[in-house]
Amino acid sequence: MTRKIINFVDMLKAVVQFFNEHPELLANNPALQESVNNVKAFIASFDAIEKAQAESSSTVVALKSETKTSLINNMLQVYAGLNAHAAKTNDTALKLSVDYTEYELKKLRDHILLQEGRSLYELALPLVPELLIWKVTTEDVEAVNTNSDAFEAKDPAIKNIKSRTKQATDEMKAKQIEATTYLKETLDVYMEPLKFSDATLYGHYTKARTIVNIAGGHSKAKTKTDTTSTTSTTETK
């Protein structure tokens, strides 16, 4: 959720709070009651979009992390078998090529880890008969290839997170336009008579309807308020 939309949603919540503090305005006024409920529905819509986007992103990241862990554990098992075989055969070159720790594998960039997984598979496959005494089976070696495939398949999903975030932001912007139009054409119109019957209370309403832009970018503000700790602007929409 962008800062601009956060500020907008905060304004919606302030409007709802205003009516919570002045329930007498809603008494015997079904139209106003419905309008306030619609404002609550807009707030719920923003929250739902944000929650769905966050859950989607966290799930994708968690799945990739889980797949990466499986690949690394599998690689370590095969590395251990190859290392034992290298020690048995005094194969210094092989020993150097499989000299990886768990920490080192975790530190590798994803594409490098994937390359190492592919290389390990090609290296270990023809040596499976020699690795059996070290409890490394054909299935273990094939699993390196399978886990590499699974890890690679998760990468596009990670890249799609940015696309999903943009989609969620676009949905929120569209919802913001819809809510702004509704406030101006409905709720503000319903509240305008209050300006003549109780100007003070109407002033509290217009204050609630003011968007406070905190730590935002460019402002279209009508009034500016400076503080010592943060720069904020206000905008009524």
Side-chain angles (χ1 to χ4, degrees):
M1 189 179 291
T2 65
R3 170 52 58 183
K4 185 174 182 179
I5 293 176
I6 290 173
N7 293 337
F8 183 79
V9 173
D10 285 345
M11 179 273 291
L12 295 179
K13 292 178 179 178
V15 169
V16 171
Q17 182 60 30
F18 167 80
F19 284 103
N20 288 340
E21 294 173 356
H22 301 283
E24 70 279 3
L25 295 174
L26 302 178
N28 303 316
N29 194 329
L32 196 54
Q33 291 173 20
E34 180 183 6
S35 188
V36 174
N37 285 335
N38 286 336
V39 174
K40 293 178 181 178
F42 280 123
I43 295 172
S45 295
F46 283 109
D47 290 343
I49 295 171
E50 181 182 34
K51 182 179 179 182
Q53 190 274 328
E55 288 179 348
S56 176
S57 298
S58 61
T59 298
V60 170
V61 172
L63 286 174
K64 183 172 183 181
S65 177
E66 181 180 329
T67 305
K68 182 176 183 178
T69 298
S70 296
L71 174 59
I72 288 175
N73 289 340
N74 187 208
M75 290 174 67
L76 288 171
Q77 179 188 6
V78 177
Y79 277 140
L82 288 170
N83 196 34
H85 175 67
K88 176 176 176 291
T89 59
N90 294 317
D91 191 333
T92 304
L94 177 60
K95 182 175 179 61
L96 291 175
S97 68
V98 298
D99 188 21
Y100 269 113
T101 65
E102 180 178 2
Y103 175 80
E104 289 170 337
L105 290 178
K106 287 181 176 180
K107 284 295 183 180
L108 292 177
R109 292 182 178 273
D110 289 350
H111 71 283
I112 299 297
L113 177 63
L114 187 60
Q115 289 174 10
E116 292 299 326
R118 301 294 190 197
S119 297
L120 176 60
Y121 172 71
E122 296 295 333
L123 175 64
L125 192 59
L127 294 175
V128 168
E130 308 297 331
L131 299 179
L132 291 175
I133 63 171
W134 307 114
K135 308 302 181 184
V136 176
T137 66
T138 301
E139 289 76 15
D140 295 326
V141 175
E142 288 292 345
V144 173
N145 193 45
T146 302
N147 286 332
S148 295
D149 288 342
F151 183 61
E152 186 176 28
K154 294 294 184 296
D155 196 58
I158 292 292
K159 293 177 180 177
N160 284 339
I161 288 179
K162 288 185 178 181
S163 175
R164 294 175 186 176
T165 300
K166 182 181 183 303
Q167 180 181 354
T169 300
D170 289 343
E171 290 178 13
M172 288 187 184
K173 287 180 178 178
K175 185 62 65 175
Q176 181 183 12
I177 292 172
E178 181 185 353
T180 298
T181 300
Y182 180 80
L183 289 171
K184 286 184 176 182
E185 296 183 356
T186 304
L187 184 57
D188 288 350
V189 175
Y190 287 167
M191 290 300 292
E192 191 168 2
L194 187 65
K195 178 168 57 176
F196 303 99
S197 61
D198 192 332
T200 300
L201 191 56
Y202 182 76
H204 293 320
Y205 169 73
T206 57
K207 182 179 180 180
R209 276 281 286 115
T210 299
I211 299 173
V212 180
N213 295 315
I214 301 175
H218 299 291
S219 170
K220 298 178 181 178
K222 292 183 179 179
T223 1
K224 292 185 178 179
T225 304
D226 294 327
T227 67
T228 57
S229 60
T230 182
T231 300
S232 66
T233 61
T234 58
E235 177 183 357
T236 302
K237 287 193 175 181

